[in-house]
């Protein structure tokens, strides 16, 4: 499954890399791409293993706002 997100609060490439590392650690995530310039993210994951809520929660716990 593919999840397209708007992520507010990413100001630089370090923000994007941090979030990619956090999301990549989640079991069931196949790939994650964060673009700070666009304020967007695309996460591919196995919805039998992890829910989109877990992915969104992991991003918000880092201090960013997610808009579905």
């Amino acid at each position: 499954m593919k999840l397209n997100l708007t992520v507010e609060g990413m100001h630089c490439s370090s923000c994007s890399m941090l979030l990619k590392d956090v999301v990549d650690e989640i079991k069931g995530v196949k790939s994650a791409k964060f673009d700070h310039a666009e304020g967007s993210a695309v996460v591919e994951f196995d919805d039998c293993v992890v829910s989109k809520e877990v992915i969104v929660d992991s991003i918000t716990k880092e201090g960013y706002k997610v808009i579905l």
Side-chain angles (χ1 to χ4, degrees):
M1 178 173 260
K2 186 183 280 189
L3 182 60
N4 293 298
L5 304 169
T6 299
V7 181
E8 293 181 350
M10 291 189 296
H11 301 292
C12 62
S13 60
S14 294
C15 296
S16 300
M17 290 180 358
L18 167 76
L19 290 175
K20 178 175 174 27
D21 290 345
V22 166
V23 172
D24 278 341
E25 291 293 318
I26 300 170
K27 185 176 180 178
V29 170
K30 297 176 182 178
S31 70
K33 181 179 179 191
F34 288 82
D35 186 335
H36 72 279
E38 297 289 326
S40 64
V42 178
V43 181
E44 290 189 52
F45 64 100
D46 181 344
D47 60 345
C48 293
V49 177
V50 66
S51 68
K52 67 180 177 182
E53 290 80 15
V54 170
I55 295 167
V56 170
D57 285 349
S58 71
I59 297 168
T60 57
K61 284 179 182 175
E62 294 297 324
Y64 299 88
K65 182 177 179 181
V66 177
I67 301 169
L68 297 173

